[in-house]
Amino acid sequence: MARLVVIYRNPKDGAAFDKHYFGTHVPLAKKIPGLRKYVVSQGPVATPAGPSEFHLVATLHFDDMMAIQKAFASAVGQAAAADVQTFTTDPPQLLLFDNREV
Amino acid sequence: MARLVVIYRNPKDGAAFDKHYFGTHVPLAKKIPGLRKYVVSQGPVATPAGPSEFHLVATLHFDDMMAIQKAFASAVGQAAAADVQTFTTDPPQLLLFDNREV
């Protein structure tokens, strides 16, 4: 039930971002060991007041925090992290946490 | 498959925050019409480099974006929003988006 949430700010070229993200980054990141589910925002990321400064929110599901740590340490995880730098100028916000339903 | 993600920064008094959040806010927010699932981070919200500036991430699940809009417009939704102001000095970041698995 652990999550890695990756929040990308609006890029200069949204179409180029999406092309790389869905064409290259997702296929690569889906190979990360321990990844159980990979969910991305579809359409605008909004706030209650209107548009946000964010382009995309990705939520990667793992069994637990240890699995996320292992994923970061893996060769594929490091390749995915390196790939992010090829299509962003502004590094995304990454948040890692365990999750529980209330 | 729409999500409302609420990201709270570290409060001055984490124990007081948690007491109000879990004792008052969650029971109130769970009554929001259209809410399908309510998930909160458990333990620290981290970054790959270590501790983050965030205390808690709440993810509220709704059927679609329209359901989130209706939730905000509802009396319970407005009461939940007003309640947030009673236990935060720094307003949380709210992000709303549709979600899909990739």
Side-chain angles (χ1 to χ4, degrees), chain A residues 62-73:
Chain A
F62 293 87
D63 287 342
D64 50 36
M65 294 293 275
M66 182 62 72
I68 297 183
Q69 292 199 3
K70 286 181 183 170
F72 273 110

Side-chain angles (χ1 to χ4, degrees), chain B residues 1 19 24-25 28 30 35 38 59 64 67-68 74 77 82 86 92 101:
Chain B
M1 282 287 284
K19 185 179 176 188
T24 302
H25 189 68
L28 172 62
K30 284 191 76 169
L35 178 65
Y38 189 164
T59 307
D64 51 35
I68 297 183
S74 71
T86 69
E101 190 169 355

Side-chain angles (χ1 to χ4, degrees), chain B residues 4 6 8 11-12 14 18 26 30 38 49 65 71-72 77 96 101:
Chain B
L4 166 62
V6 188
Y8 294 93
K12 286 178 187 166
D18 289 348
V26 168
K30 284 191 76 169
Y38 189 164
M65 294 292 276
F72 273 110
L96 298 57
E101 190 169 355

Side-chain angles (χ1 to χ4, degrees), chain B residues 16-56:
Chain B
F17 178 102
D18 289 348
K19 185 179 176 188
H20 188 102
Y21 189 81
F22 291 101
T24 302
H25 189 68
V26 168
L28 172 62
K30 284 191 76 169
K31 295 178 189 160
I32 291 174
L35 178 65
R36 297 298 181 202
K37 194 174 175 184
Y38 189 164
V39 180
V40 300
S41 59
Q42 182 165 34
V45 178
T47 73
S52 77
E53 61 191 311
F54 304 108
H55 180 64
L56 188 139

Side-chain angles (χ1 to χ4, degrees), chain A residues 24-101:
Chain A
T24 302
H25 189 69
V26 167
L28 173 61
K30 285 190 75 170
K31 295 177 188 160
I32 290 174
L35 177 65
R36 298 297 183 201
K37 193 175 175 183
Y38 189 164
V39 180
V40 300
S41 58
Q42 183 165 34
V45 178
T47 73
S52 77
E53 62 190 309
F54 303 107
H55 181 65
L56 188 139
V57 178
T59 308
L60 283 74
H61 298 222
F62 293 87
D63 287 342
D64 50 36
M65 294 293 275
M66 182 62 72
I68 297 183
Q69 292 199 3
K70 286 181 183 170
F72 273 110
S74 71
V76 178
Q78 291 184 8
D83 180 60
V84 167
Q85 297 180 12
T86 70
F87 66 94
T88 60
T89 47
D90 209 4
Q93 172 87 60
L94 274 71
L95 298 177
L96 297 57
F97 49 87
D98 262 323
N99 237 0
R100 69 180 173 97
E101 190 170 353

